[in-house]
Each structure stands twice: as C-alpha cells, then as structure tokens.
Amino acid sequence: KNDTIRKLANNGVFHLARIAAFLWRRTDDWGNQADLESGISKIELTPEILDAKFDEGFKLLNKTVQQHPQFKADLDTALKSSSLDTEISKSLHLKKG
C-alpha cells in the first residue's frame, strides 16, 4: 500500500488537481469565464483554501485505485488510462449528489 501511496503522490498529480478542483468548485464545468476568474482570484489571495481539498482528493484517488484490482495491479498504466479517469468521474459525481 505504501508503494501505491508513493506512486500516486509522484505520478497522480494530474488526477489529484482535477479532483481537488472539482471538490472546491463542486462542478467540472469550465465554461463560465467570470466564475473561473473569481475562483483564481480567491486562490491567489488565499491558496491554503485548497489544502483540505487536496487532502480529500488524495483520499478519493487512493480509494478509487484500491477498489479496482486492475488499477492496483498496474498503477503506472492506470494513471494514464481513461478507465481511471472514468472511475474518478463516477466517484466525484456520486459524492456531489
């Protein structure tokens, strides 16, 4: 498990950033320019507001990997796969609902 944690920390940054952004914004809609600019301004002023979202996001990413044996078996490939991305999306949208 420690090897999984290490690999996720080193190679899962793209997924972690996506998850943290979703958790903070409560959406994956990036079309509202004014909303995006407002969010960026908030982060620039108070970057630590994302700390808890990164912690929560890392837990969600690890849980998603742990729940799927095919991801655990070959984590390097899983981190590049659309299947992991799909499972993350499912987890995020279930969490939102």
Side-chain angles (χ1 to χ4, degrees), residues 23-60:
L23 294 173
W24 183 59
R25 297 184 68 239
R26 305 296 297 153
T27 184
D28 52 8
D29 177 11
W30 297 91
N32 184 333
Q33 188 68 31
D35 184 46
L36 292 174
E37 290 173 7
S38 170
I40 290 169
S41 294
K42 288 176 186 173
I43 293 169
E44 288 176 338
L45 292 172
T46 319
E48 61 273 5
I49 61 176
L50 289 179
D51 290 350
K53 301 304 177 189
F54 278 108
D55 291 343
E56 185 180 353
F58 194 84
K59 289 175 187 172
L60 187 142

Side-chain angles (χ1 to χ4, degrees), residues 57 66 85:
Q66 296 300 325
D85 203 43

Side-chain angles (χ1 to χ4, degrees), residues 4 12 19-22 29 46 48-49 52 61 80-81 84 89 94:
T4 300
I19 294 166
F22 183 96
D29 177 11
T46 319
E48 61 273 5
I49 61 176
L61 178 57
K80 299 172 190 167
S81 75
L84 176 58
S89 292
L94 284 174

